[in-house]
């Protein structure tokens, strides 16, 4: 077995921090364009590690997303081709 030698890692590319943009002053549940940046394609809230926000900002985002869902501004889930009450399976055989 070969030992891993001490190699210098490349520094990661600096990623944008969406809440540090100059046009964002606070997280509002009515700002659906901002909140959609923190949702996955399935409608789940993305983790802090992915979105690069602090713990306090993540709590504010989560509360805003939940309020927006309650007010029907954002979907609870966004699976393509599925509506409420439908099963994922196709029609039964037979």
């Amino acid at each position: 077995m070969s030992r891993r030698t001490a190699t210098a890692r490349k520094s990661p590319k600096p990623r944008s921090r969406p809440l540090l943009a100059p046009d964002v002053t606070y997280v509002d549940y009515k700002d659906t364009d901002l909140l959609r940046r923190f949702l996955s394609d399935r409608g789940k809230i993305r983790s802090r590690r992915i979105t690069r926000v602090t713990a306090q900002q993540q709590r504010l985002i989560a509360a805003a997303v939940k309020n927006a869902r309650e007010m029907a501004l954002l979907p609870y889930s966004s699976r393509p081709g599925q509506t409420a009450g439908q099963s994922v399976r196709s029609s039964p055989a037979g």
Side-chain angles (χ1 to χ4, degrees), residues 6-8 10 31 34 37 46-47 51 56 58-59 63 68 83:
T7 58
K10 288 184 179 180
D31 189 1
L34 175 68
R37 293 185 202 169
R46 290 194 173 126
S47 68
T51 57
Q56 183 179 8
Q58 181 73 13
R59 286 191 292 270
T83 59

Side-chain angles (χ1 to χ4, degrees), residues 1-92:
M1 294 188 121
S2 66
R3 287 183 135 179
R4 185 180 283 183
T5 60
T7 58
R9 287 188 183 179
K10 288 184 179 180
S11 61
K13 221 175 20 174
R15 288 190 274 172
S16 67
R17 295 177 179 244
L19 292 182
L20 294 181
D23 59 338
V24 177
T25 55
Y26 63 95
V27 180
D28 189 14
Y29 74 93
K30 293 174 274 188
D31 189 1
T32 57
D33 292 331
L34 175 68
L35 295 178
R36 285 184 194 275
R37 293 185 202 169
F38 301 101
L39 294 178
S40 69
D41 58 342
R42 294 270 181 136
K44 295 181 179 181
I45 301 173
R46 290 194 173 126
S47 68
R48 287 181 49 213
R49 181 178 57 86
I50 303 297
T51 57
R52 307 276 300 200
V53 295
T54 64
Q56 183 179 8
Q57 290 170 338
Q58 181 73 13
R59 286 191 292 270
L60 292 173
I61 290 167
V65 167
K66 289 174 185 179
N67 284 338
R69 285 174 175 166
E70 187 72 23
M71 298 291 179
L73 299 174
L74 290 175
Y76 279 96
S77 66
S78 58
R79 279 185 106 173
Q82 182 179 0
T83 59
Q86 280 186 340
S87 163
V88 177
R89 299 180 192 185
S90 60
S91 62

